[in-house]
Amino acid sequence: MQISFVTSNNGKVASLRRVCEPLGIKVNQVSLELPEPQVSDLRVITQHKAEAAFKEVQGAVVVQDTGFYLEAWPNFPGPFVKFTLDSLGIDGYLTLVEERSRECEFRECIAFFDGDQVSFFESKIPGRLATSRQGIKHPEAWSELWEIFIPEDFDKTIADMTDKERADWRSRRGDGSASLFARWYADRGGA
């Protein structure tokens, strides 16, 4: 079994491969920039991306979009993470939550499209923001937010975790939408 994952984010590819390969699913990265509607609904974004990717690849595809949500600023930045990181930077995020709630969460949405129907796989990763950057850039990092995001029930950022601690964190949360997709795709035999 194999699937084309249309993304230019190598960290997202590594994450999907980690859960798919043990189930016998080969993940082929197709690095394309896809048009994204500027809306706040992750499902709308991933559906649009999946349909555009299908036209380019001419076959079944999977795409992913992730939003980041600060409790202190409802629905912000949402799916506009790249834009806000480019304009505010990590330190800007930390400034936004000074003297406010540091609670936050990632929301992930994977969409599979085979030309007939879009199937969605969604998950949330709750946590809180650190008070400063912590840790080092990791090759599997899908966002520099790893340096300030402390997952629920942990006391350090994802970037500050050892490989063993990161594996423990993943096993506790089940790898979110990637695991949901991988099990579903394997159960249907990749078709």
Side-chain angles (χ1 to χ4, degrees):
M1 284 182 290
Q2 61 181 333
I3 187 65
S4 295
F5 186 17
V6 181
T7 183
S8 57
N9 186 318
N10 294 332
K12 288 181 179 181
V13 174
S15 292
L16 189 62
R17 282 182 176 149
R18 186 181 47 261
V19 297
C20 283
E21 288 177 355
L23 298 174
I25 304 166
K26 181 179 181 199
V27 176
N28 299 314
Q29 181 178 7
V30 179
S31 189
L32 293 173
E33 291 297 322
L34 297 171
E36 281 188 31
Q38 297 301 301
V39 298
S40 60
D41 188 322
L42 290 176
R43 274 189 173 217
V44 171
I45 294 168
T46 56
Q47 179 169 348
H48 190 272
K49 286 169 62 171
E51 291 168 351
F54 181 83
K55 287 178 186 172
E56 291 290 327
V57 174
Q58 295 295 303
V61 294
V62 64
V63 299
Q64 180 180 12
D65 206 79
T66 303
F68 187 65
Y69 300 82
L70 300 170
E71 183 178 282
W73 298 90
N75 297 314
F76 181 81
F80 306 109
V81 175
K82 184 177 180 343
F83 172 77
T84 57
L85 279 172
D86 289 346
S87 56
L88 296 174
I90 291 292
D91 293 329
Y93 274 78
L94 296 175
T95 299
L96 284 173
V97 297
E98 282 180 4
E99 307 297 321
R100 294 176 176 254
S101 171
R102 301 189 89 74
E103 299 301 307
C104 56
E105 69 182 13
F106 282 102
R107 296 179 195 163
E108 302 174 320
C109 184
I110 288 179
F112 169 84
F113 186 50
D114 61 3
D116 291 325
Q117 178 179 340
V118 178
S119 298
F120 298 99
F121 307 88
E122 298 171 279
S123 65
K124 294 180 181 182
I125 307 168
R128 68 187 186 287
L129 289 185
T131 56
S132 63
R133 286 182 122 142
Q134 300 169 16
I136 57 170
K137 290 198 185 288
H138 189 275
E140 279 192 28
W142 24 260
S143 172
E144 66 182 296
L145 290 172
W146 273 31
E147 297 172 37
I148 61 171
F149 181 76
I150 301 171
E152 186 175 69
D153 299 326
F154 283 84
D155 60 359
K156 58 174 72 171
T157 67
I158 302 170
D160 205 26
M161 292 178 181
T162 65
D163 289 342
K164 183 180 180 323
E165 289 168 327
R166 213 172 0 268
D168 179 48
W169 168 60
R170 282 189 199 103
S171 70
R172 284 197 218 178
R173 77 178 189 98
D175 265 329
S177 57
S179 287
L180 295 172
F181 165 74
R183 286 191 303 271
W184 173 83
Y185 196 67
D187 286 348
R188 62 185 294 218

